[in-house]
Amino acid sequence: MSAAPVWSVDPRTGNPREQVAVEATGEEVDRVVRAAHAVRDSLADRAPRAAFLRAAAELLAESGEHIIEAADAETALGPARLTGELARTAAQLRAFADVVDEGAYLDVHIDHEDGSRTPPWPDLRRYKIPLGVVAVYAASNFPLAFSVPGGDTASALAAGCPVVVKAHPDHPATSELCASVLRRAAARTGLPEDVVTLVHGFDAGVELIRHPLVSAAGFTGSVRGGRALFDAAAARPAPIPFHGELGSLNPVVVTGAAAAERAAEIGAGLGGSMTLGVGQFCTKPGFVLVPEGAAGDQLLKTLTEAVSSTGSGVLLDHRMRDAFVAGVRDRAALPDVDAPVTPGAGGEHTVSAGFLTVPAARLTAQGPHDALLEECFGPVTVIARYASVDEIAAVLARLPGNLTATLQTATEAPDPDAAPLLAALTPLAGRILVNGWPTGVAVAPAQHHGGPYPATTSTSTSVGATAIERWLRPVTYQSTPEALLPPELREDNPQGLPRRVDGRRV
């Protein structure tokens, strides 16, 4: 039986562009994982790792024209958006190179022997080591920054872990191009190319999560697909960490004082955020609590104008388009749900943006309206009109975990509802915004891109310097002779690492 072909498809037409590869068989997945496992020691030294990450960033930039052309043809995201995403991806690789150079991520602790303590302390030296081969499942909506050369791959390589990427079927040609760039960067810096490899196919993804030499996995995608892989990772004879980003509603609360002060500004900002990238950002504000009354009406009037002026757009593939059309149709058919701007099919291959409104009272108890509290991927948001702060609290208590939660407050005078509502939003998400919009995730050391389930399956972040921590585990050496210690833990600190000695940072 011949292997199934992997086609690159144009989402603007639904037509195949070219055959890119064939789906990997179980035997091929086994060979690739074993090859990655065999070269893991080549990543042990930090200097070559950092050089590799910087070379990857440089080669991505050099190949940018071809990568952007391929990505646009496969995703319809447009050259401007993809140019920015490529720059972000390269910057992310360089940022992790800096993390590797600094070495603070190793979290070195040394406690010298101390017989005066009760009980006595032996000599203890702790740091973190890489887990091993990491499986990365590429995202559909970010063909660069969350795919083959993206954050999961960059942070795993920075930690010293070889990576096997399962390509997303929406952009296989882009994936092949980026994988070749990473492998060339490895060769340029004296590392084996098998520190990064690529496989295609649904079955290959299942085989990958089950492979006994895979030590951890990173995933960005749907709740259904991510949960299946999460369960498979936990069901292995030796379970492994699974860091999945699955789905997020990203709720927004607009206080009465905020709506009274700047309804038009908030309506316009919401319209821009929810339609950005045809509503395909994982941080799209998909659910908004707006007060009843004249100020809330004005906000919706401005939102209507903003969304109505947004042209139809192409989603990443026709399966997503069909799911969007069906999802908004089913939600709009619920009792007391209105569509001031009707979202749905914009044409044979496109979708149109819109939003739905519902009384918040419909959402305070379990019922058919619960569908409005689930993510709908695409350019749509749900506006729940509330009558009181107590009604807001009742709705928030029913929301699942999220990547972000946003509070829009008054800015010109104290807002009495701001503090209690901020406290109510904080348990719901990993990033809390005040008077901003969640689309756009800065790659910064203090960033946290994660949240309670189903936003993510762990407490870690997939963006920012601390994303490296997902692929490491701590090890302590007790009463170990200096000559046998790893260089990072020796008394003379030959690598000049930041560390904490006898409780003091040095």
Side-chain angles (χ1 to χ4, degrees):
M1 186 181 200
S2 60
V6 175
W7 288 90
S8 172
V9 176
D10 182 350
R12 294 179 173 96
T13 64
N15 296 327
R17 297 176 57 247
E18 59 177 334
Q19 182 179 339
V20 172
V22 295
E23 294 186 357
T25 64
E27 292 78 11
E28 289 165 338
V29 171
D30 178 64
R31 176 183 58 77
V32 163
V33 173
R34 291 186 182 280
H37 182 74
V39 302
R40 66 194 187 284
D41 288 346
S42 68
L43 292 170
D45 292 339
R46 290 186 297 123
R49 288 208 313 267
F52 167 37
L53 293 169
R54 292 190 176 98
E58 182 181 342
L59 289 177
L60 278 173
E62 289 178 3
S63 306
E65 182 179 349
H66 299 296
I67 291 172
I68 290 168
E69 181 181 7
D72 181 49
E74 291 185 310
T75 67
L77 289 173
R81 150 71 194 274
L82 292 165
T83 297
E85 187 179 335
L86 182 64
R88 171 205 172 110
T89 305
Q92 194 164 240
L93 287 160
R94 295 188 189 98
F96 277 112
D98 292 341
V99 169
V100 173
D101 281 340
E102 182 195 30
Y105 74 94
L106 293 168
D107 196 23
V108 176
H109 286 252
I110 295 175
D111 291 318
H112 290 106
E113 183 178 0
D114 186 350
S116 68
R117 292 181 178 268
T118 305
W121 283 9
D123 187 90
L124 298 169
R125 297 167 185 249
R126 178 186 187 272
Y127 79 143
K128 293 181 179 178
I129 64 172
L131 291 174
V133 178
V134 169
V136 170
Y137 294 80
S140 62
N141 57 338
F142 281 85
L144 306 174
F146 283 84
S147 294
V148 175
D152 284 353
T153 298
S155 57
L157 291 170
C161 297
V163 172
V164 179
V165 182
K166 189 271 178 187
H168 196 281
D170 279 354
H171 38 78
T174 308
S175 298
E176 286 285 344
L177 274 173
C178 291
S180 70
V181 166
L182 294 180
R183 289 170 68 85
R184 281 194 288 126
R188 175 182 285 189
T189 50
L191 295 175
E193 292 186 351
D194 283 340
V195 295
V196 180
T197 47
L198 183 71
V199 296
H200 297 267
F202 176 86
D203 291 341
V206 175
E207 292 293 327
L208 194 56
I209 200 69
R210 293 174 175 168
H211 198 286
L213 295 181
V214 168
S215 299
F219 171 90
T220 304
S222 69
V223 173
R224 181 179 178 184
R227 184 55 195 253
L229 290 171
F230 180 43
D231 291 346
R236 292 168 36 131
I240 60 172
F242 181 87
H243 300 284
E245 181 189 322
L246 311 187
S248 186
L249 197 60
N250 304 303
V252 178
V253 175
V254 181
T255 69
E261 179 186 282
R262 48 194 184 90
E265 176 189 328
I266 294 171
L270 174 59
S273 185
M274 60 156 285
T275 59
L276 186 66
V278 202
Q280 296 176 109
F281 278 58
C282 54
T283 52
K284 178 199 76 177
F287 181 77
V288 188
L289 282 151
V290 172
E292 295 178 353
D297 292 345
Q298 180 58 47
L299 189 156
L300 262 62
K301 180 177 183 293
T302 306
L303 177 63
T304 298
E305 294 167 355
V307 174
S308 298
S309 65
T310 302
S312 60
V314 177
L315 294 185
L316 293 160
D317 63 37
H318 281 61
R319 175 183 56 82
M320 292 182 188
R321 178 187 176 277
D322 293 345
F324 173 77
V325 172
V328 296
R329 181 188 63 230
D330 293 346
R331 288 165 171 80
L334 292 168
D336 290 333
V337 173
D338 294 322
V341 182
T342 304
E348 184 180 357
H349 306 291
T350 61
V351 297
S352 59
F355 66 95
L356 307 175
T357 63
V358 64
R362 278 287 194 176
L363 304 173
T364 57
Q366 187 173 1
H369 289 76
D370 286 359
L372 299 172
L373 304 180
E374 299 173 1
E375 180 184 16
C376 186
F377 193 75
V380 65
T381 196
V382 173
I383 309 294
R385 303 295 299 272
Y386 66 86
S388 67
V389 173
D390 288 343
E391 208 166 66
I392 298 176
V395 174
L396 293 181
R398 302 198 61 243
L399 294 187
N402 293 273
L403 294 170
T404 74
T406 300
L407 180 64
Q408 295 287 342
T409 72
T411 60
E412 296 177 359
D415 190 332
D417 296 328
L421 287 174
L422 192 66
L425 287 171
T426 297
L428 296 178
R431 179 163 58 105
I432 311 299
L433 298 92
V434 176
N435 295 337
W437 298 105
T439 38
V441 183
V443 182
Q447 185 59 270
H448 187 84
H449 189 63
Y453 186 86
T456 51
T457 59
S458 72
T459 59
S460 302
T461 179
S462 61
V463 177
T466 53
I468 194 173
E469 295 173 0
R470 298 174 295 169
W471 322 119
L472 299 162
R473 69 176 181 88
V475 172
T476 293
Y477 288 83
Q478 179 173 326
S479 304
T480 304
E482 180 86 359
L484 296 180
L485 284 170
E488 294 86 353
L489 298 180
R490 292 176 186 166
E491 195 68 20
D492 60 354
N493 194 13
Q495 299 181 6
L497 293 170
R499 53 191 190 171
R500 189 174 290 276
V501 179
D502 295 331
R504 299 181 64 184
R505 187 167 297 278
V506 297

